[in-house]
Amino acid sequence: MIADEITSALDISVQAEILNLIAGLRRELGLTMVFISHNLAVDRHVSDEVAVLYRGDIVERGATADLYERPRHAYTRALLDAVPGASGRGLGA
């Protein structure tokens, strides 16, 4: 399944409902998804693996926790550092 920005225009409570529904489907059906989002907190919450794209190219890919805690590419570090409230590395942790 491909989910492209499915929570971007939703208020936080509806967003949570959708994310819980997705989590349930993944568990029950063993569903694999490509989840496309600019919301780093949501990405971290729903993803087992993350790929970071820069100008259409994958510049970094790995297990979610590893990528958020130890980003290797400068663009990934810049994205995480741009999250308001200190470093994005602690998102959702």
Side-chain angles (χ1 to χ4, degrees):
M1 174 188 290
I2 298 175
D4 188 358
E5 295 286 354
I6 63 170
T7 61
S8 64
L10 303 175
D11 67 47
I12 195 75
S13 62
V14 175
Q15 189 179 91
E17 288 180 40
I18 296 296
L19 294 174
N20 288 333
L21 175 63
I22 288 170
L25 289 171
R26 288 181 63 207
R27 265 191 319 275
E28 293 171 26
L29 303 175
L31 186 65
T32 298
M33 296 181 63
V34 174
F35 189 87
I36 302 165
S37 177
H38 290 90
N39 185 326
L40 299 179
V42 169
D43 294 341
R44 184 167 190 163
H45 177 72
V46 302
S47 303
D48 299 320
E49 186 174 310
V50 173
V52 177
L53 278 74
Y54 177 68
R55 296 186 176 190
D57 293 319
I58 294 175
V59 296
E60 186 164 1
R61 185 178 133 201
T64 303
D66 292 340
L67 189 135
Y68 276 69
E69 297 303 323
R70 292 175 294 286
R72 294 182 312 266
H73 193 275
Y75 183 69
T76 306
R77 285 190 300 272
L79 283 174
L80 294 171
D81 289 344
V83 174
S87 172
R89 290 173 184 76
L91 284 171

